């Protein structure tokens, strides 16, 4: 594997015969004659420039979404003091994470809605609308007065805005993954789809950097007064840029082919539950490790290090930032590995590593040694990339084109609503209930067991052409 695999030009793909060799090559040749997309999801007429814009458009929406989640998670203690000042610190933190979790409960509904739009009207339409609503809701968080100004209305407004945001964001990850997989060369779908988790990690990285910088530069009083609002204000310009890029793209070749032949399904969600419910159950189980692991390791960890282990806030942010930088590199490596060795093997390796290593890793965090903490976070992040870098292509390939957006969005958001958004709350609650700082590790290992079973029961998808039916 050479380093050129990580370059923008490689991600943009190639229209040369060599890049189209392998899976679905015969179909690709037929597509070139007919002017239609190949069944494998690769249109030989797609230019490098188009693929670059597809990568950029897919990247920015998830970047904005997880930038917000990062800031909310990393500044949870400050937000708790602003919106729940009359509660003791642990209760206020629980209430803050409860709002975080409640906003996820609407995500399955959003998955139904955005899945319907994406499969019925088009991927581009769904993605262009979702980023506009999502970035607007994130921006509004910065404008909400604190509890000391408007009382109980402050947390109520925060909840409303986060529910709107959760609804709009529910189609983002699934839509961007489907968009990339359907535009990608057949033998690089894993690498292309890895752009989606890389964008989430980049959003978390910027959130960590800004939160850490603000924590260092501002006093506690300034942070509670206005400092915590600054990162949320950035969502508006980023969202507008993302929407502009997306409106300049055509829909994916395979979706355009279905639409031209009037094969786009009229009720994709209904068809999903009626004809593909077994795939849906496997997908929900496969997502479980990702849902819990992502929010425990990459969002909740700074709060865990500072609140439960007594590490300084600045050191907590620095450790997480270092881990995130390595995480982004690992993501693309994992996407390449899944293209070469298959999705199932990499996902199974991820589950086994969490089952065996999570509890010992969390025990090492308790040493309080900064270098050890950084190395453990890099290890946990590397383990998570085996799952996170493979899951988007695995889920997108699992469902046929006619219900791909719906199947991905419903399974991903259902698992995240039940287990992902609640992960920081459950971790805090389990520690309070058991007085055991290792409780989140056991919770994460349990999630890995369920995902292992779901993936083992699924078929390998990396070497197959994308299915229409």
């Amino acid at each position: 594997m050479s380093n050129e695999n990580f370059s923008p030009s490689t991600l943009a793909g190639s229209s040369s015969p060599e890049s189209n060799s392998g899976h679905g090559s015969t179909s690709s040749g037929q597509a070139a004659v007919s002017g239609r997309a190949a069944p494998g999801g690769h249109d030989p007429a797609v230019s490098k420039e188009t693929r670059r814009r597809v990568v950029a458009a897919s990247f920015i929406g998830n970047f904005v979404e997880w930038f917000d989640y990062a800031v909310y998670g990393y500044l949870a203690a400050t937000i708790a003091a602003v919106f729940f000042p009359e509660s003791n610190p642990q209760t206020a933190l629980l209430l803050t994470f409860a709002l975080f979790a409640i906003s996820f409960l609407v995500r399955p509904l959003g998955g139904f809605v955005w899945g319907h739009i994406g499969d019925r009207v088009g991927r581009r339409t769904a993605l262009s609308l979702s980023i506009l609503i999502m970035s607007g809701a994130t921006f509004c968080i910065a404008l909400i007065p604190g509890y000391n100004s408007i009382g109980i209305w402050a947390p109520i407004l925060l909840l409303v805005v986060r529910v709107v945001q959760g609804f709009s964001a529910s189609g983002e990850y699934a839509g961007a993954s489907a968009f990339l997989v359907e535009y990608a060369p057949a033998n690089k779908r894993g690498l292309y789809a890895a752009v989606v988790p890389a964008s989430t990690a980049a959003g978390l990285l910027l959130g960590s950097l800004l939160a850490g910088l603000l924590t260092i530069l501002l006093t506690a009083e300034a942070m509670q007064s206005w400092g915590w609002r600054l990162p949320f204000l950035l969502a508006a310009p980023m969202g507008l840029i993302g929407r502009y890029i997306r409106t300049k793209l055509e829909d994916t070749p395979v979706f355009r082919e279905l639409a031209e032949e009037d094969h786009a399904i009229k009720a994709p969600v209904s068809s999903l539950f009626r004809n593909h419910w077994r795939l849906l159950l496997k997908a929900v189980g496969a997502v479980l490790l990702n849902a819990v692991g992502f929010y425990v390791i990459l969002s909740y960890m700074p709060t865990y290090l500072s609140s439960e282990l007594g590490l300084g806030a600045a050191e907590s942010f620095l450790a997480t930032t270092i881990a995130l930088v390595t995480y982004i590199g690992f993501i693309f490596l994992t996407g390449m590995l899944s293209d070469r060795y298959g999705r199932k093997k990499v996902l199974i390796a991820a589950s086994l590593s969490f089952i065996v290593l999570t509890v010992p890793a969390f025990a090492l965090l308790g040493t309080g040694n900064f270098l050890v903490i950084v190395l453990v976070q890099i290890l946990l992040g590397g383990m998570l990339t085996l799952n996170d870098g493979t899951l988007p292509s695995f889920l997108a390939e699992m469902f046929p084109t006619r219900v791909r957006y719906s199947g991905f969005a419903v399974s991903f958001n259902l698992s995240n609503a039940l287990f992902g958004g609640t992960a920081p709350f459950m971790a805090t609650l389990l520690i309070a209930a058991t007085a055991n700082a290792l409780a989140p590790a056991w919770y994460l290992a349990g999630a890995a067991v369920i995902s292992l079973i779901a993936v083992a029961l699924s078929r390998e998808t990396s070497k197959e052409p994308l299915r229409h039916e």
Side-chain angles (χ1 to χ4, degrees), residues 134-149:
M134 179 181 64
S135 58
T138 303
F139 177 79
C140 286
I141 291 177
L143 307 180
I144 301 174
Y147 185 93
N148 291 333
S149 298

Side-chain angles (χ1 to χ4, degrees), residues 6 21 58 72 181 213 311 465:
F6 294 97
S21 65
S58 302
Y72 190 92
V181 164
L213 186 63
L311 193 69

Side-chain angles (χ1 to χ4, degrees), residues 23 89 149 187 210 217 230 246 281 291 315 376 382 396 415 454 461:
H23 320 310
S149 298
N187 62 341
L210 281 180
L217 296 179
L230 297 179
R246 289 177 175 184
L281 287 177
E315 289 84 355
V376 168
S415 196
T461 58

Side-chain angles (χ1 to χ4, degrees), residues 173-197:
Y173 197 99
S177 299
F179 207 63
L180 284 163
V181 164
E182 290 179 355
Y183 259 113
N187 62 341
K188 293 183 179 178
R189 295 196 297 248
L191 177 60
Y192 269 69
V195 168
V196 178

Side-chain angles (χ1 to χ4, degrees), residues 251-395:
D251 226 315
T252 66
V254 291
F255 182 82
R256 294 201 309 271
E257 179 183 3
L258 288 180
E260 288 169 6
E261 297 177 353
D262 199 28
H263 288 165
I265 203 162
K266 292 184 178 180
V269 175
S270 175
S271 176
L272 175 68
F273 281 93
R274 186 174 63 252
N275 301 321
H276 306 286
W277 60 270
R278 290 183 180 85
L279 288 179
L280 188 61
L281 287 177
K282 293 175 185 177
V284 170
V287 174
L288 184 58
L289 172 58
N290 184 270
V292 176
F294 187 90
Y295 289 101
V296 168
I297 294 173
L298 299 182
S299 181
Y300 170 70
M301 188 59 75
T303 301
Y304 176 79
L305 293 175
S306 59
S307 299
E308 306 300 337
L309 301 184
L311 193 69
E315 289 84 355
S316 299
F317 288 129
L318 179 58
T320 302
T321 299
I322 294 172
L324 281 170
V325 171
T326 61
Y327 185 89
I328 295 171
F330 287 152
I331 280 287
F332 288 110
L333 179 60
T334 299
M336 293 160 56
L337 288 173
S338 74
D339 280 330
R340 181 169 182 176
Y341 298 107
R343 319 292 184 227
K344 283 187 65 173
K345 290 180 180 178
V346 179
L347 289 173
I348 287 173
S351 294
L352 291 174
S353 65
F354 272 101
I355 292 170
V356 174
L357 299 176
T358 304
V359 174
F362 269 72
L364 287 173
L365 290 175
T367 62
N369 183 286
F370 181 75
L371 179 59
V372 172
I373 288 173
V374 170
L375 292 175
V376 168
Q377 283 197 263
I378 291 174
L379 171 66
L380 289 171
M383 289 159 52
L384 183 59
T385 60
L386 292 174
N387 178 278
D388 203 20
T390 308
L391 193 65
S393 53
F394 175 76
L395 292 178

